[in-house]
PDB file of all heavy atoms in Angstrom:
ATOM      1  N   PHE A   1      94.279  85.026  95.369  1.00  0.00           N
ATOM      2  CA  PHE A   1      95.105  86.247  95.407  1.00  0.00           C
ATOM      3  C   PHE A   1      95.253  86.839  94.014  1.00  0.00           C
ATOM      4  O   PHE A   1      95.304  86.099  93.027  1.00  0.00           O
ATOM      5  CB  PHE A   1      96.498  85.914  95.954  1.00  0.00           C
ATOM      6  CG  PHE A   1      96.567  85.514  97.411  1.00  0.00           C
ATOM      7  CD1 PHE A   1      95.420  85.269  98.148  1.00  0.00           C
ATOM      8  CD2 PHE A   1      97.784  85.411  98.026  1.00  0.00           C
ATOM      9  CE1 PHE A   1      95.491  84.909  99.485  1.00  0.00           C
ATOM     10  CE2 PHE A   1      97.886  85.056  99.359  1.00  0.00           C
ATOM     11  CZ  PHE A   1      96.738  84.795 100.073  1.00  0.00           C
ATOM     12  N   THR A   2      95.394  88.164  93.964  1.00  0.00           N
ATOM     13  CA  THR A   2      95.613  88.847  92.703  1.00  0.00           C
ATOM     14  C   THR A   2      96.733  89.877  92.876  1.00  0.00           C
ATOM     15  O   THR A   2      96.641  90.732  93.764  1.00  0.00           O
ATOM     16  CB  THR A   2      94.361  89.554  92.212  1.00  0.00           C
ATOM     17  OG1 THR A   2      93.294  88.587  92.072  1.00  0.00           O
ATOM     18  CG2 THR A   2      94.606  90.218  90.871  1.00  0.00           C
ATOM     19  N   ILE A   3      97.741  89.785  92.043  1.00  0.00           N
ATOM     20  CA  ILE A   3      98.834  90.752  92.068  1.00  0.00           C
ATOM     21  C   ILE A   3      98.587  91.777  90.976  1.00  0.00           C
ATOM     22  O   ILE A   3      98.086  91.438  89.889  1.00  0.00           O
ATOM     23  CB  ILE A   3     100.203  90.068  91.888  1.00  0.00           C
ATOM     24  CG1 ILE A   3     101.346  91.034  92.118  1.00  0.00           C
ATOM     25  CG2 ILE A   3     100.299  89.399  90.491  1.00  0.00           C
ATOM     26  CD1 ILE A   3     102.730  90.375  92.166  1.00  0.00           C
ATOM     27  N   SER A   4      98.886  93.037  91.280  1.00  0.00           N
ATOM     28  CA  SER A   4      98.725  94.081  90.286  1.00  0.00           C
ATOM     29  C   SER A   4      99.722  95.187  90.595  1.00  0.00           C
ATOM     30  O   SER A   4     100.343  95.210  91.658  1.00  0.00           O
ATOM     31  CB  SER A   4      97.295  94.648  90.306  1.00  0.00           C
ATOM     32  OG  SER A   4      96.985  95.223  91.572  1.00  0.00           O
ATOM     33  N   ARG A   5      99.861  96.104  89.637  1.00  0.00           N
ATOM     34  CA  ARG A   5     100.800  97.195  89.802  1.00  0.00           C
ATOM     35  C   ARG A   5     100.207  98.473  89.218  1.00  0.00           C
ATOM     36  O   ARG A   5      99.437  98.423  88.250  1.00  0.00           O
ATOM     37  CB  ARG A   5     102.131  96.870  89.120  1.00  0.00           C
ATOM     38  CG  ARG A   5     102.006  96.546  87.644  1.00  0.00           C
ATOM     39  CD  ARG A   5     103.262  95.900  87.098  1.00  0.00           C
ATOM     40  NE  ARG A   5     104.363  96.859  87.076  1.00  0.00           N
ATOM     41  CZ  ARG A   5     105.620  96.488  86.881  1.00  0.00           C
ATOM     42  NH1 ARG A   5     105.951  95.219  86.737  1.00  0.00           N
ATOM     43  NH2 ARG A   5     106.574  97.409  86.839  1.00  0.00           N
ATOM     44  N   ASP A   6     100.532  99.594  89.840  1.00  0.00           N
ATOM     45  CA  ASP A   6     100.161 100.901  89.335  1.00  0.00           C
ATOM     46  C   ASP A   6     101.456 101.643  89.039  1.00  0.00           C
ATOM     47  O   ASP A   6     102.105 102.135  89.972  1.00  0.00           O
ATOM     48  CB  ASP A   6      99.303 101.644  90.361  1.00  0.00           C
ATOM     49  CG  ASP A   6      98.765 102.948  89.842  1.00  0.00           C
ATOM     50  OD1 ASP A   6      99.420 103.587  88.994  1.00  0.00           O
ATOM     51  OD2 ASP A   6      97.661 103.354  90.270  1.00  0.00           O
ATOM     52  N   ASN A   7     101.825 101.668  87.784  1.00  0.00           N
ATOM     53  CA  ASN A   7     103.120 102.276  87.416  1.00  0.00           C
ATOM     54  C   ASN A   7     103.156 103.759  87.742  1.00  0.00           C
ATOM     55  O   ASN A   7     104.212 104.296  88.100  1.00  0.00           O
ATOM     56  CB  ASN A   7     103.421 102.031  85.957  1.00  0.00           C
ATOM     57  CG  ASN A   7     103.600 100.564  85.648  1.00  0.00           C
ATOM     58  OD1 ASN A   7     104.035  99.766  86.481  1.00  0.00           O
ATOM     59  ND2 ASN A   7     103.251 100.176  84.420  1.00  0.00           N
ATOM     60  N   ALA A   8     102.044 104.411  87.613  1.00  0.00           N
ATOM     61  CA  ALA A   8     101.993 105.862  87.880  1.00  0.00           C
ATOM     62  C   ALA A   8     102.228 106.164  89.342  1.00  0.00           C
ATOM     63  O   ALA A   8     102.803 107.212  89.684  1.00  0.00           O
ATOM     64  CB  ALA A   8     100.654 106.429  87.426  1.00  0.00           C
ATOM     65  N   LYS A   9     101.779 105.276  90.217  1.00  0.00           N
ATOM     66  CA  LYS A   9     101.933 105.456  91.650  1.00  0.00           C
ATOM     67  C   LYS A   9     103.163 104.706  92.190  1.00  0.00           C
ATOM     68  O   LYS A   9     103.447 104.768  93.388  1.00  0.00           O
ATOM     69  CB  LYS A   9     100.697 104.973  92.398  1.00  0.00           C
ATOM     70  CG  LYS A   9      99.467 105.794  92.100  1.00  0.00           C
ATOM     71  CD  LYS A   9      98.268 105.306  92.916  1.00  0.00           C
ATOM     72  CE  LYS A   9      97.024 106.169  92.657  1.00  0.00           C
ATOM     73  NZ  LYS A   9      95.865 105.701  93.450  1.00  0.00           N
ATOM     74  N   ASN A  10     103.865 104.005  91.333  1.00  0.00           N
ATOM     75  CA  ASN A  10     105.039 103.221  91.722  1.00  0.00           C
ATOM     76  C   ASN A  10     104.690 102.285  92.879  1.00  0.00           C
ATOM     77  O   ASN A  10     105.432 102.187  93.883  1.00  0.00           O
ATOM     78  CB  ASN A  10     106.204 104.130  92.108  1.00  0.00           C
ATOM     79  CG  ASN A  10     106.729 104.896  90.921  1.00  0.00           C
ATOM     80  OD1 ASN A  10     106.906 104.318  89.844  1.00  0.00           O
ATOM     81  ND2 ASN A  10     106.976 106.191  91.095  1.00  0.00           N
ATOM     82  N   THR A  11     103.587 101.615  92.741  1.00  0.00           N
ATOM     83  CA  THR A  11     103.088 100.758  93.825  1.00  0.00           C
ATOM     84  C   THR A  11     102.678  99.392  93.294  1.00  0.00           C
ATOM     85  O   THR A  11     102.060  99.293  92.217  1.00  0.00           O
ATOM     86  CB  THR A  11     101.896 101.422  94.521  1.00  0.00           C
ATOM     87  OG1 THR A  11     102.295 102.688  95.038  1.00  0.00           O
ATOM     88  CG2 THR A  11     101.388 100.566  95.678  1.00  0.00           C
ATOM     89  N   LEU A  12     103.022  98.399  94.047  1.00  0.00           N
ATOM     90  CA  LEU A  12     102.631  96.999  93.794  1.00  0.00           C
ATOM     91  C   LEU A  12     101.592  96.592  94.801  1.00  0.00           C
ATOM     92  O   LEU A  12     101.664  97.014  95.988  1.00  0.00           O
ATOM     93  CB  LEU A  12     103.852  96.100  93.916  1.00  0.00           C
ATOM     94  CG  LEU A  12     103.658  94.598  93.654  1.00  0.00           C
ATOM     95  CD1 LEU A  12     103.457  94.329  92.184  1.00  0.00           C
ATOM     96  CD2 LEU A  12     104.856  93.805  94.197  1.00  0.00           C
ATOM     97  N   TYR A  13     100.621  95.800  94.383  1.00  0.00           N
ATOM     98  CA  TYR A  13      99.553  95.386  95.271  1.00  0.00           C
ATOM     99  C   TYR A  13      99.409  93.870  95.309  1.00  0.00           C
ATOM    100  O   TYR A  13      99.795  93.159  94.347  1.00  0.00           O
ATOM    101  CB  TYR A  13      98.202  95.967  94.821  1.00  0.00           C
ATOM    102  CG  TYR A  13      98.157  97.476  94.747  1.00  0.00           C
ATOM    103  CD1 TYR A  13      98.299  98.135  93.533  1.00  0.00           C
ATOM    104  CD2 TYR A  13      97.974  98.230  95.905  1.00  0.00           C
ATOM    105  CE1 TYR A  13      98.262  99.506  93.473  1.00  0.00           C
ATOM    106  CE2 TYR A  13      97.922  99.615  95.844  1.00  0.00           C
ATOM    107  CZ  TYR A  13      98.089 100.248  94.629  1.00  0.00           C
ATOM    108  OH  TYR A  13      98.036 101.623  94.563  1.00  0.00           O
ATOM    109  N   LEU A  14      98.827  93.394  96.390  1.00  0.00           N
ATOM    110  CA  LEU A  14      98.432  91.986  96.476  1.00  0.00           C
ATOM    111  C   LEU A  14      97.060  91.963  97.152  1.00  0.00           C
ATOM    112  O   LEU A  14      96.945  92.224  98.338  1.00  0.00           O
ATOM    113  CB  LEU A  14      99.416  91.155  97.270  1.00  0.00           C
ATOM    114  CG  LEU A  14      99.122  89.645  97.271  1.00  0.00           C
ATOM    115  CD1 LEU A  14      99.289  89.050  95.855  1.00  0.00           C
ATOM    116  CD2 LEU A  14     100.000  88.897  98.268  1.00  0.00           C
ATOM    117  N   GLN A  15      96.033  91.667  96.363  1.00  0.00           N
ATOM    118  CA  GLN A  15      94.701  91.494  96.890  1.00  0.00           C
ATOM    119  C   GLN A  15      94.549  90.043  97.328  1.00  0.00           C
ATOM    120  O   GLN A  15      94.715  89.118  96.527  1.00  0.00           O
ATOM    121  CB  GLN A  15      93.648  91.834  95.857  1.00  0.00           C
ATOM    122  CG  GLN A  15      92.210  91.636  96.319  1.00  0.00           C
ATOM    123  CD  GLN A  15      91.827  92.585  97.428  1.00  0.00           C
ATOM    124  OE1 GLN A  15      92.124  93.780  97.363  1.00  0.00           O
ATOM    125  NE2 GLN A  15      91.146  92.093  98.456  1.00  0.00           N
ATOM    126  N   MET A  16      94.235  89.840  98.602  1.00  0.00           N
ATOM    127  CA  MET A  16      94.134  88.504  99.158  1.00  0.00           C
ATOM    128  C   MET A  16      92.714  88.254  99.631  1.00  0.00           C
ATOM    129  O   MET A  16      92.233  88.956 100.547  1.00  0.00           O
ATOM    130  CB  MET A  16      95.127  88.330 100.325  1.00  0.00           C
ATOM    131  CG  MET A  16      96.555  88.657  99.946  1.00  0.00           C
ATOM    132  SD  MET A  16      97.744  88.282 101.270  1.00  0.00           S
ATOM    133  CE  MET A  16      97.215  89.456 102.502  1.00  0.00           C
ATOM    134  N   ASN A  17      92.018  87.321  99.007  1.00  0.00           N
ATOM    135  CA  ASN A  17      90.657  86.968  99.375  1.00  0.00           C
ATOM    136  C   ASN A  17      90.603  85.533  99.897  1.00  0.00           C
ATOM    137  O   ASN A  17      91.534  84.763  99.702  1.00  0.00           O
ATOM    138  CB  ASN A  17      89.743  87.123  98.147  1.00  0.00           C
ATOM    139  CG  ASN A  17      89.684  88.521  97.625  1.00  0.00           C
ATOM    140  OD1 ASN A  17      89.788  89.495  98.369  1.00  0.00           O
ATOM    141  ND2 ASN A  17      89.511  88.631  96.312  1.00  0.00           N
ATOM    142  N   SER A  18      89.521  85.223 100.557  1.00  0.00           N
ATOM    143  CA  SER A  18      89.303  83.867 101.098  1.00  0.00           C
ATOM    144  C   SER A  18      90.528  83.384 101.861  1.00  0.00           C
ATOM    145  O   SER A  18      91.018  82.287 101.668  1.00  0.00           O
ATOM    146  CB  SER A  18      88.980  82.902  99.934  1.00  0.00           C
ATOM    147  OG  SER A  18      87.846  83.314  99.231  1.00  0.00           O
ATOM    148  N   LEU A  19      90.992  84.244 102.749  1.00  0.00           N
ATOM    149  CA  LEU A  19      92.197  83.925 103.492  1.00  0.00           C
ATOM    150  C   LEU A  19      92.012  82.715 104.398  1.00  0.00           C
ATOM    151  O   LEU A  19      90.930  82.490 104.960  1.00  0.00           O
ATOM    152  CB  LEU A  19      92.644  85.139 104.305  1.00  0.00           C
ATOM    153  CG  LEU A  19      93.341  86.217 103.475  1.00  0.00           C
ATOM    154  CD1 LEU A  19      93.329  87.561 104.180  1.00  0.00           C
ATOM    155  CD2 LEU A  19      94.757  85.796 103.152  1.00  0.00           C
ATOM    156  N   LYS A  20      93.106  81.971 104.532  1.00  0.00           N
ATOM    157  CA  LYS A  20      93.120  80.752 105.353  1.00  0.00           C
ATOM    158  C   LYS A  20      94.177  80.900 106.443  1.00  0.00           C
ATOM    159  O   LYS A  20      95.148  81.642 106.252  1.00  0.00           O
ATOM    160  CB  LYS A  20      93.456  79.538 104.474  1.00  0.00           C
ATOM    161  CG  LYS A  20      92.527  79.326 103.292  1.00  0.00           C
ATOM    162  CD  LYS A  20      93.016  78.183 102.440  1.00  0.00           C
ATOM    163  CE  LYS A  20      92.098  77.978 101.219  1.00  0.00           C
ATOM    164  NZ  LYS A  20      92.580  76.846 100.347  1.00  0.00           N
ATOM    165  N   PRO A  21      94.027  80.176 107.535  1.00  0.00           N
ATOM    166  CA  PRO A  21      95.078  80.249 108.573  1.00  0.00           C
ATOM    167  C   PRO A  21      96.475  79.943 108.050  1.00  0.00           C
ATOM    168  O   PRO A  21      97.460  80.526 108.537  1.00  0.00           O
ATOM    169  CB  PRO A  21      94.604  79.201 109.580  1.00  0.00           C
ATOM    170  CG  PRO A  21      93.112  79.174 109.434  1.00  0.00           C
ATOM    171  CD  PRO A  21      92.893  79.372 107.964  1.00  0.00           C
ATOM    172  N   GLU A  22      96.571  79.067 107.061  1.00  0.00           N
ATOM    173  CA  GLU A  22      97.883  78.727 106.513  1.00  0.00           C
ATOM    174  C   GLU A  22      98.501  79.848 105.679  1.00  0.00           C
ATOM    175  O   GLU A  22      99.657  79.737 105.253  1.00  0.00           O
ATOM    176  CB  GLU A  22      97.827  77.444 105.670  1.00  0.00           C
ATOM    177  CG  GLU A  22      96.723  77.412 104.635  1.00  0.00           C
ATOM    178  CD  GLU A  22      95.473  76.699 105.123  1.00  0.00           C
ATOM    179  OE1 GLU A  22      95.038  76.940 106.289  1.00  0.00           O
ATOM    180  OE2 GLU A  22      94.904  75.921 104.338  1.00  0.00           O
ATOM    181  N   ASP A  23      97.752  80.911 105.455  1.00  0.00           N
ATOM    182  CA  ASP A  23      98.319  82.106 104.791  1.00  0.00           C
ATOM    183  C   ASP A  23      99.061  82.995 105.780  1.00  0.00           C
ATOM    184  O   ASP A  23      99.686  83.980 105.360  1.00  0.00           O
ATOM    185  CB  ASP A  23      97.195  82.923 104.124  1.00  0.00           C
ATOM    186  CG  ASP A  23      96.524  82.166 102.974  1.00  0.00           C
ATOM    187  OD1 ASP A  23      97.229  81.510 102.195  1.00  0.00           O
ATOM    188  OD2 ASP A  23      95.283  82.243 102.876  1.00  0.00           O
ATOM    189  N   THR A  24      99.009  82.669 107.045  1.00  0.00           N
ATOM    190  CA  THR A  24      99.699  83.470 108.039  1.00  0.00           C
ATOM    191  C   THR A  24     101.205  83.444 107.819  1.00  0.00           C
ATOM    192  O   THR A  24     101.820  82.372 107.702  1.00  0.00           O
ATOM    193  CB  THR A  24      99.380  82.916 109.461  1.00  0.00           C
ATOM    194  OG1 THR A  24      97.998  83.091 109.732  1.00  0.00           O
ATOM    195  CG2 THR A  24     100.196  83.626 110.526  1.00  0.00           C
ATOM    196  N   ALA A  25     101.785  84.629 107.721  1.00  0.00           N
ATOM    197  CA  ALA A  25     103.209  84.756 107.418  1.00  0.00           C
ATOM    198  C   ALA A  25     103.584  86.222 107.395  1.00  0.00           C
ATOM    199  O   ALA A  25     102.706  87.096 107.419  1.00  0.00           O
ATOM    200  CB  ALA A  25     103.564  84.114 106.081  1.00  0.00           C
ATOM    201  N   VAL A  26     104.889  86.481 107.308  1.00  0.00           N
ATOM    202  CA  VAL A  26     105.351  87.817 106.974  1.00  0.00           C
ATOM    203  C   VAL A  26     105.464  87.873 105.440  1.00  0.00           C
ATOM    204  O   VAL A  26     106.067  87.003 104.830  1.00  0.00           O
ATOM    205  CB  VAL A  26     106.713  88.120 107.617  1.00  0.00           C
ATOM    206  CG1 VAL A  26     107.199  89.514 107.183  1.00  0.00           C
ATOM    207  CG2 VAL A  26     106.618  88.042 109.137  1.00  0.00           C
ATOM    208  N   TYR A  27     104.829  88.899 104.878  1.00  0.00           N
ATOM    209  CA  TYR A  27     104.812  89.070 103.432  1.00  0.00           C
ATOM    210  C   TYR A  27     105.824  90.128 103.027  1.00  0.00           C
ATOM    211  O   TYR A  27     105.834  91.233 103.595  1.00  0.00           O
ATOM    212  CB  TYR A  27     103.419  89.439 102.963  1.00  0.00           C
ATOM    213  CG  TYR A  27     102.477  88.261 102.955  1.00  0.00           C
ATOM    214  CD1 TYR A  27     102.046  87.675 104.139  1.00  0.00           C
ATOM    215  CD2 TYR A  27     102.027  87.685 101.760  1.00  0.00           C
ATOM    216  CE1 TYR A  27     101.197  86.580 104.146  1.00  0.00           C
ATOM    217  CE2 TYR A  27     101.183  86.603 101.757  1.00  0.00           C
ATOM    218  CZ  TYR A  27     100.772  86.041 102.963  1.00  0.00           C
ATOM    219  OH  TYR A  27      99.936  84.948 102.956  1.00  0.00           O
ATOM    220  N   TYR A  28     106.639  89.795 102.030  1.00  0.00           N
ATOM    221  CA  TYR A  28     107.696  90.685 101.576  1.00  0.00           C
ATOM    222  C   TYR A  28     107.496  91.071 100.107  1.00  0.00           C
ATOM    223  O   TYR A  28     107.141  90.223  99.282  1.00  0.00           O
ATOM    224  CB  TYR A  28     109.073  90.002 101.688  1.00  0.00           C
ATOM    225  CG  TYR A  28     109.493  89.679 103.100  1.00  0.00           C
ATOM    226  CD1 TYR A  28     109.188  88.459 103.683  1.00  0.00           C
ATOM    227  CD2 TYR A  28     110.215  90.607 103.852  1.00  0.00           C
ATOM    228  CE1 TYR A  28     109.580  88.166 104.965  1.00  0.00           C
ATOM    229  CE2 TYR A  28     110.627  90.321 105.144  1.00  0.00           C
ATOM    230  CZ  TYR A  28     110.301  89.102 105.700  1.00  0.00           C
ATOM    231  OH  TYR A  28     110.694  88.807 106.975  1.00  0.00           O
ATOM    232  N   CYS A  29     107.760  92.315  99.830  1.00  0.00           N
ATOM    233  CA  CYS A  29     107.743  92.821  98.467  1.00  0.00           C
ATOM    234  C   CYS A  29     109.141  92.662  97.880  1.00  0.00           C
ATOM    235  O   CYS A  29     110.154  92.881  98.585  1.00  0.00           O
ATOM    236  CB  CYS A  29     107.315  94.272  98.484  1.00  0.00           C
ATOM    237  SG  CYS A  29     107.370  95.124  96.896  1.00  0.00           S
ATOM    238  N   ASN A  30     109.206  92.311  96.618  1.00  0.00           N
ATOM    239  CA  ASN A  30     110.489  92.127  95.939  1.00  0.00           C
ATOM    240  C   ASN A  30     110.494  92.787  94.573  1.00  0.00           C
ATOM    241  O   ASN A  30     109.491  92.760  93.859  1.00  0.00           O
ATOM    242  CB  ASN A  30     110.761  90.618  95.760  1.00  0.00           C
ATOM    243  CG  ASN A  30     111.932  90.305  94.880  1.00  0.00           C
ATOM    244  OD1 ASN A  30     111.774  90.114  93.682  1.00  0.00           O
ATOM    245  ND2 ASN A  30     113.110  90.284  95.455  1.00  0.00           N
ATOM    246  N   GLY A  31     111.599  93.396  94.243  1.00  0.00           N
ATOM    247  CA  GLY A  31     111.789  93.941  92.919  1.00  0.00           C
ATOM    248  C   GLY A  31     113.119  93.444  92.352  1.00  0.00           C
ATOM    249  O   GLY A  31     114.106  93.301  93.117  1.00  0.00           O
ATOM    250  N   GLN A  32     113.130  93.118  91.071  1.00  0.00           N
ATOM    251  CA  GLN A  32     114.326  92.556  90.465  1.00  0.00           C
ATOM    252  C   GLN A  32     114.750  93.374  89.272  1.00  0.00           C
ATOM    253  O   GLN A  32     113.959  93.621  88.362  1.00  0.00           O
ATOM    254  CB  GLN A  32     114.073  91.103  90.006  1.00  0.00           C
ATOM    255  CG  GLN A  32     113.766  90.144  91.130  1.00  0.00           C
ATOM    256  CD  GLN A  32     113.471  88.745  90.615  1.00  0.00           C
ATOM    257  OE1 GLN A  32     113.368  88.531  89.414  1.00  0.00           O
ATOM    258  NE2 GLN A  32     113.359  87.786  91.527  1.00  0.00           N
ATOM    259  N   ASP A  33     116.014  93.821  89.289  1.00  0.00           N
ATOM    260  CA  ASP A  33     116.641  94.255  88.049  1.00  0.00           C
ATOM    261  C   ASP A  33     117.902  93.412  87.912  1.00  0.00           C
ATOM    262  O   ASP A  33     117.781  92.200  87.719  1.00  0.00           O
ATOM    263  CB  ASP A  33     116.838  95.760  87.960  1.00  0.00           C
ATOM    264  CG  ASP A  33     117.590  96.350  89.151  1.00  0.00           C
ATOM    265  OD1 ASP A  33     118.308  95.605  89.819  1.00  0.00           O
ATOM    266  OD2 ASP A  33     117.480  97.553  89.370  1.00  0.00           O
ATOM    267  N   TRP A  34     119.074  93.952  88.070  1.00  0.00           N
ATOM    268  CA  TRP A  34     120.294  93.135  88.043  1.00  0.00           C
ATOM    269  C   TRP A  34     120.576  92.558  89.432  1.00  0.00           C
ATOM    270  O   TRP A  34     121.459  91.751  89.621  1.00  0.00           O
ATOM    271  CB  TRP A  34     121.495  93.935  87.559  1.00  0.00           C
ATOM    272  CG  TRP A  34     121.798  95.116  88.381  1.00  0.00           C
ATOM    273  CD1 TRP A  34     121.225  96.344  88.290  1.00  0.00           C
ATOM    274  CD2 TRP A  34     122.757  95.208  89.443  1.00  0.00           C
ATOM    275  NE1 TRP A  34     121.758  97.205  89.211  1.00  0.00           N
ATOM    276  CE2 TRP A  34     122.683  96.538  89.941  1.00  0.00           C
ATOM    277  CE3 TRP A  34     123.666  94.313  90.012  1.00  0.00           C
ATOM    278  CZ2 TRP A  34     123.508  96.965  90.988  1.00  0.00           C
ATOM    279  CZ3 TRP A  34     124.466  94.764  91.061  1.00  0.00           C
ATOM    280  CH2 TRP A  34     124.381  96.066  91.539  1.00  0.00           C
TER     281      TRP A  34
END
């Protein structure tokens, strides 16, 4: 997996390769300030 961000587009990405059955889940995006 590779995480990346495009600040100009205000978008976060997660590229997931070679996926396995154990990767099955609900995926959530998180942002942290205070």
Side-chain angles (χ1 to χ4, degrees):
F1 291 10
T2 302
I3 189 170
S4 62
R5 57 194 292 167
D6 186 329
N7 295 331
K9 295 183 178 180
N10 293 316
T11 302
L12 180 73
Y13 301 100
L14 185 67
Q15 178 66 44
M16 304 186 295
N17 299 328
S18 302
L19 282 161
K20 304 175 181 179
E22 50 264 44
D23 295 318
T24 295
V26 178
Y27 284 70
Y28 295 91
C29 175
N30 170 267
Q32 296 178 352
D33 53 22
W34 60 276

